[in-house]
Amino acid sequence: MVMNVKGYAALAVKEDLVPHSFVRRDPREDDVVIDILYSGVCHSDIHNAYNDWGSAKYPMVPGHEIIGRVVHVGKSVTKFAVGDLAGVGCMVDSCQHCSACKQGLEQYCEEGNTLTYNDIDRHDGLPTFGGYSDKIVVTEKFVVKVPEGIDLRGAAPLLCAGITTWSPLRHWQVGEGSKVAVVGLGGLGHMAIKLANALGAEVTLFTRSPGKEADARRLGASHVVLSTDPEQMKAAANQFDLIIDTVPYVHDLNPYIPTLALSGTLVLVGYLGALDPFLNTVPLILGRKSVAGSVIGGIAETQEMLDFCGQHGITADVEVINIQDINNAWQRMLKSDVKYRFVIDIASLK
């Protein structure tokens, strides 16, 4: 079964994406073949293609927020049938036997999970290619069911932005009566607000931009704190059980720690790398407060999140584009000129 696929790829560092044809692997017995309908555009797509993290493999077909329809199932597949709506997120495999995988936390696989793109298949050694394409082949263990009736365009970013914020909300047991703050209102931040609000939390947005209050309240925030205003920050002291920090660049965490309640946690979901300046441990020690990190979620957790979003009518706020506009979209995304996620209509590839 030769599978010729059309897509868009980065062929070299910091070059524009261009049309690219390639061949997907022959489906294995446990594989699902998906016709891709929509692919979300994540900031990490740019980081990878620009080799910001030093691991770029070219040609690179980005995209790990994938919504599509099943067109073929291997003979050992039991969860999916032809015609089902399906989703694929940031990873397509893991070792399946380490401590993390046995707990359903494949994102923390001790041998390293296999990423949806810019990685190497652990079985056949072939490169993985992502959702900026018209078809994908994935083992059924790493495919999730998309609820019927959900807006498919807005559902695509749930596979990364949604699960990245859902996982810490669930891990720190956010629910009725919880007080949650979100730092930054972008692709991750707007999903954190929606999900925390739907779980019953009282949500506050920390922002450096005074003009974001109306949008934050529309998304579900009850309060907005201007983080550059010392008086507002002082008034927010000792409040939050959980702060979800979505900022994707180097920034100072110290102003936010005093706003945590006793035993509260600030969890980083947006930035990879060293932080500067150094973290002041005094408020941590005196309030049993924590700084933690979190990345996406396991497959079971991702399915839980999708089902929750289906039940509550939650999707990302998106701007749908044709794939021919992807390079312009990337430049706009670098300027934060999108509310709040670009999604590619893969029909534009046909």
Side-chain angles (χ1 to χ4, degrees):
M1 182 178 178
V2 176
M3 197 174 307
N4 296 306
V5 177
K6 293 188 293 184
Y8 265 58
L11 302 182
V13 64
K14 295 194 175 178
E15 288 189 2
D16 281 354
L17 275 66
V18 294
H20 180 67
S21 297
F22 59 100
V23 175
R24 294 280 188 192
R25 71 163 187 259
D26 290 340
R28 300 188 277 258
E29 290 185 359
D30 62 344
D31 275 339
V32 174
V33 181
I34 300 168
D35 270 356
I36 300 174
L37 301 173
Y38 298 101
S39 182
V41 180
C42 179
H43 209 281
S44 61
D45 296 343
I46 299 176
H47 283 307
N48 274 313
Y50 285 8
N51 200 28
D52 291 341
W53 295 329
S55 59
K57 302 173 180 67
Y58 303 103
M60 182 191 303
V61 178
H64 58 205
E65 299 178 342
I66 298 166
I67 297 288
R69 197 170 290 278
V70 176
V71 294
H72 171 85
V73 296
K75 65 180 182 180
S76 67
V77 170
T78 59
K79 287 169 47 182
F80 294 92
V82 171
D84 286 350
L85 289 170
V88 179
C90 300
M91 53 185 174
V92 292
D93 207 352
S94 71
C95 81
Q96 297 290 294
H97 56 73
C98 72
S99 174
C101 287
K102 287 180 178 178
Q103 295 178 64
L105 300 172
E106 299 93 346
Q107 73 272 34
Y108 302 120
C109 176
E110 293 168 12
E111 295 184 10
N113 57 61
T114 303
L115 299 175
T116 304
Y117 71 90
N118 195 44
D119 208 346
I120 300 298
D121 186 284
R122 65 201 316 120
H123 301 288
D124 57 27
L126 295 175
T128 61
F129 298 109
Y132 293 17
S133 59
D134 58 7
K135 287 183 177 65
I136 193 166
V137 184
V138 184
T139 175
E140 72 164 335
K141 290 181 180 178
F142 283 78
V143 181
V144 289
K145 292 188 174 183
V146 177
E148 293 288 345
I150 199 169
D151 174 53
L152 299 182
R153 300 169 300 177
L158 299 179
L159 277 303
C160 178
I163 187 57
T164 295
T165 50
W166 176 261
S167 188
L169 288 169
R170 296 295 285 159
H171 178 74
W172 278 278
Q173 300 178 344
V174 166
E176 295 288 343
S178 298
K179 289 191 173 184
V180 173
V182 177
V183 184
L185 185 57
L188 293 175
H190 94 289
M191 286 308 311
I193 291 173
K194 288 187 178 191
L195 292 170
N197 177 64
L199 285 167
E202 180 181 322
V203 185
T204 296
L205 172 69
F206 282 121
T207 180
R208 299 172 60 86
S209 306
K212 293 189 175 178
E213 181 165 354
D215 229 19
R217 293 186 183 278
R218 175 184 65 82
L219 294 165
S222 298
H223 313 282
V224 177
V225 174
L226 195 61
S227 58
T228 54
D229 185 330
E231 291 304 313
Q232 290 189 36
M233 292 297 286
K234 185 177 179 180
N238 304 311
Q239 287 192 27
F240 303 113
D241 304 300
L242 182 67
I243 299 176
I244 298 181
D245 186 324
T246 72
V247 177
Y249 48 79
V250 174
H251 58 293
D252 187 1
L253 302 186
N254 289 298
Y256 303 104
I257 304 302
T259 71
L260 288 168
L262 179 66
S263 302
T265 299
L266 182 151
V267 57
L268 295 157
V269 300
Y271 176 69
L272 289 172
L275 284 170
D276 186 54
F278 292 114
L279 188 64
N280 180 5
T281 64
V282 173
L284 295 177
I285 292 169
L286 296 182
R288 199 168 60 190
K289 301 173 183 182
S290 304
V291 174
S294 179
V295 64
I296 54 170
I299 299 304
E301 198 170 42
T302 304
Q303 188 65 65
E304 176 193 59
M305 178 271 305
L306 278 176
D307 293 343
F308 180 87
C309 289
Q311 293 162 8
H312 291 81
I314 297 172
T315 54
D317 288 17
V318 302
E319 181 178 334
V320 179
I321 62 168
N322 291 332
I323 199 162
Q324 294 80 8
D325 299 321
I326 186 61
N327 294 301
N328 180 58
W330 276 19
Q331 293 308 308
R332 285 181 54 194
M333 193 160 62
L334 289 171
K335 301 172 186 174
S336 300
D337 180 24
V338 59
K339 287 188 174 179
Y340 282 97
R341 207 70 158 189
F342 287 114
V343 170
I344 303 167
D345 184 348
I346 297 299
S348 61
L349 255 177
K350 305 292 190 285

